[in-house]
Amino acid sequence: MHFLTGDWIGALFQVIAIDLVLAGDNAIVIGLAAAGLPRDQRNKAILIGIGAATVMRIGFALITTQLLAITGLLLAGGILLLWVSWKMWRELRSGAGHDHVAAHEALADADVSIAGRPADGKRKTLGQAVTQIIIADVSMSLDNVLAVAGAARHHLDVLVIGLVLSIALMGLASTWIARLINRFRWIAWIGLLIILFVALRMIWEGWHEVAMAMEMAA
């Protein structure tokens, strides 16, 4: 049976690792945006952020496989994931600073420290926090779906499993995953290496697709 092959199992492992790391990373971004809010508005902003990210993952999942079939977009997606890898590497290298502390306090519904306040001492509004979260959700949801599609490119069943898992993790367990990754940083490093591998493979395959299309057009 095809799902018992090493290639299928490897693709599934990559997809699960990507989902775990990016769901936790998305939750930290949401927590950071909500950290500057009064406590009574914080949970509302976090719920809106997680809900929006879940909806966006569904939306991007419906169109990404069709988009990646267009010549050139696989290469573009790989370059985008390479940029995501660079951002993750910078964050992991710098370690968890005051901003991450504030984000985790917000996700845990604790009293937010001074790190959760803007420099002028004023708290942000719910609208400002939600806007910041939505903008981040668009980018991170697209990153997640592209990474899953790239890892499971030749296995439609793994792609479906990965996208369903991504949506479930974001909607049900993202804050728990964020705390887990904050405690065990090696999980994030493994996820970064896998995303980097997927990005480079997408760039390699995408470049060959573009080169073949150019040869046929010549």
Side-chain angles (χ1 to χ4, degrees), residues 30-210:
I30 291 171
L32 180 58
L37 291 172
R39 191 169 184 175
D40 59 335
Q41 296 182 358
R42 201 184 311 147
N43 286 341
K44 185 183 295 185
I46 290 172
L47 285 175
I48 291 172
I50 291 175
T54 302
V55 171
M56 288 178 193
R57 275 162 168 72
I58 295 172
F60 284 132
L62 294 175
I63 63 172
T64 297
T65 50
Q66 287 81 7
L67 289 177
L68 288 180
I70 300 174
T71 301
L73 287 185
L74 181 64
L75 175 61
I79 294 172
L80 176 60
L81 282 183
L82 194 62
W83 178 66
V84 171
S85 300
W86 178 73
K87 286 197 305 178
M88 287 184 65
W89 176 76
R90 286 184 60 191
E91 292 172 2
L92 288 171
R93 188 184 63 168
S94 63
H98 292 298
D99 286 346
H100 277 67
V101 172
H104 285 284
E105 286 176 348
L107 291 170
D109 198 27
D111 290 327
V112 179
S113 64
I114 193 67
R117 295 176 180 270
D120 59 6
K122 297 178 181 178
R123 287 189 182 273
K124 67 177 73 172
T125 66
L126 179 61
Q128 289 172 331
V130 169
T131 300
Q132 183 179 350
I133 288 169
I134 296 297
I135 292 171
D137 278 346
V138 171
S139 173
M140 300 192 76
S141 297
L142 179 59
D143 295 344
N144 184 256
V145 173
L146 275 174
V148 169
R153 182 161 165 74
H154 302 296
H155 301 281
L156 183 60
D157 46 358
V158 174
L159 174 61
V160 172
I161 292 170
L163 294 175
V164 170
L165 181 62
S166 169
I167 293 165
L169 290 175
M170 195 64 240
L172 301 175
S174 57
T175 56
W176 177 80
I177 294 168
R179 294 171 199 156
L180 181 70
I181 291 174
N182 187 58
R183 184 177 178 184
F184 302 104
R185 301 296 288 173
W186 58 268
I187 298 175
W189 281 107
I190 291 175
L192 169 59
L193 290 175
I194 291 173
I195 293 171
L196 178 61
F197 169 75
V198 171
L200 293 175
R201 188 174 67 182
M202 288 174 69
I203 291 171
W204 176 260
E205 293 181 1
W207 172 252
H208 280 280
E209 286 183 359
V210 171

